[in-house]
Amino acid sequence: MSWNQFIGFAILGLTLAQLHSVNSQADVTTCKSPFALVGDKCLLFSNKWLNWYEADRQCRSQSAQLLSVQNVSQLQAINNWMNITNPYTIEFWTSGNKFGNTQNLYFWESTGQQAKYLPWAKGQPQPKEGDCLMLFSPTYGGVVSSDYLLSVRDCAAWATIVCEQVPTNSVQRVCLMPNSFEMAQVQQK
Ligand SMILES: *[C@@H]1O[C@H](CO)[C@@H](O)[C@H](O)[C@H]1NC(C)=O
Ligand SMILES: *[C@@H]1O[C@H](CO)[C@@H](O)[C@H](O)[C@H]1NC(C)=O
């Protein structure tokens, strides 16, 4: 239901029922500017070329983390967003790494969890290349395909970065009264 329909519906309800007030609420998912809502994440791309450690610090300095990818719907949302907003990007850092792990297990530094969903690029993984994971897109005839998949890299290499934040979920309560209109947004977490 669109916002206008929602208000229209609430006003209609008020008129028909001749109620003194109508209380309604809607769930709202928002990101803090300049982060953009992409699927279920708030994301920010930076065109600065940084090594993994600098990239991690850069995100933390903005109250964010380097990107993690939990499943195919998140990957598709990220790929579509990059295709539209940053179409010439070949590769960017994620929070994925295997620091101090001898079994080639990868972890998302942003969540502390083992990476179970590992959509590897062609010819990957190459654990000897390094400890850090980036999302890499092949190019066809000089055109970036925006079909990003995981690739192992030397953490000292340079790449662009995507930082993530958890969206803010709030409930918007609308209270309609005969002569006034009040709205309150309540943060849940
Ligand atoms: C993808 O992962 C996120 C985070 O764990 C979860 O909230 C979401 O429901 C998952 N989506 C699918 C389609 O599995
Ligand atoms: C990127 O966008 C182009 C059109 O602008 C489309 O043809 C292509 O399939 C898209 N690629 C991905 C991976 O979404």
Side-chain angles (χ1 to χ4, degrees):
M1 199 177 347
S2 82
W3 186 239
N4 279 343
Q5 283 175 318
F6 175 68
I7 291 178
F9 183 74
I11 289 172
L12 183 68
L14 176 68
T15 312
L16 291 180
Q18 292 187 311
L19 292 172
H20 185 67
S21 70
V22 173
N23 297 318
S24 245
Q25 57 182 45
D27 289 325
V28 197
T29 304
T30 49
C31 294
K32 287 183 201 127
S33 174
F35 285 76
L37 186 64
V38 179
D40 54 7
K41 291 172 182 290
C42 295
L43 302 184
L44 180 63
F45 173 78
S46 168
N47 206 15
K48 269 191 214 164
W49 285 67
L50 302 173
N51 68 40
W52 189 91
Y53 306 98
E54 293 167 327
D56 187 49
R57 283 201 294 273
Q58 165 81 22
C59 291
R60 285 170 192 275
S61 75
Q62 291 172 284
S63 305
Q65 308 272 354
L66 273 174
L67 181 68
S68 63
V69 187
Q70 270 86 29
N71 51 45
V72 68
S73 51
Q74 288 185 355
L75 182 65
Q76 275 169 0
I78 293 161
N79 285 357
N80 290 339
W81 173 68
M82 285 299 290
N83 196 16
I84 293 163
T85 57
N86 298 286
Y88 308 111
T89 305
I90 294 173
E91 56 195 15
F92 51 92
W93 286 122
T94 71
S95 73
N97 67 73
K98 61 174 172 69
F99 294 150
N101 186 281
T102 52
Q103 298 159 38
N104 293 334
L105 297 179
Y106 291 91
F107 293 83
W108 298 118
E109 198 73 13
S110 58
T111 64
Q113 280 167 1
Q114 191 186 335
K116 296 281 171 60
Y117 173 65
L118 289 163
W120 293 116
K122 203 176 165 194
Q124 292 289 329
Q126 298 285 344
K128 288 187 183 132
E129 293 286 312
D131 281 346
C132 292
L133 296 182
M134 60 170 55
L135 278 166
F136 167 82
S137 169
T139 55
Y140 300 108
V143 179
V144 179
S145 66
S146 296
D147 195 8
Y148 299 94
L149 292 165
L150 290 175
S151 189
V152 178
R153 273 324 139 76
D154 179 352
C155 307
W158 288 342
T160 60
I161 69 178
V162 171
C163 301
E164 72 177 19
Q165 273 183 342
V166 178
T168 306
N169 291 313
S170 45
V171 178
Q172 216 162 46
R173 295 207 178 107
V174 178
C175 313
L176 290 171
M177 281 165 272
N179 303 314
S180 68
F181 165 65
E182 286 180 355
M183 200 167 84
Q185 192 157 322
V186 184
Q187 188 166 324
Q188 285 188 313
K189 63 168 185 180

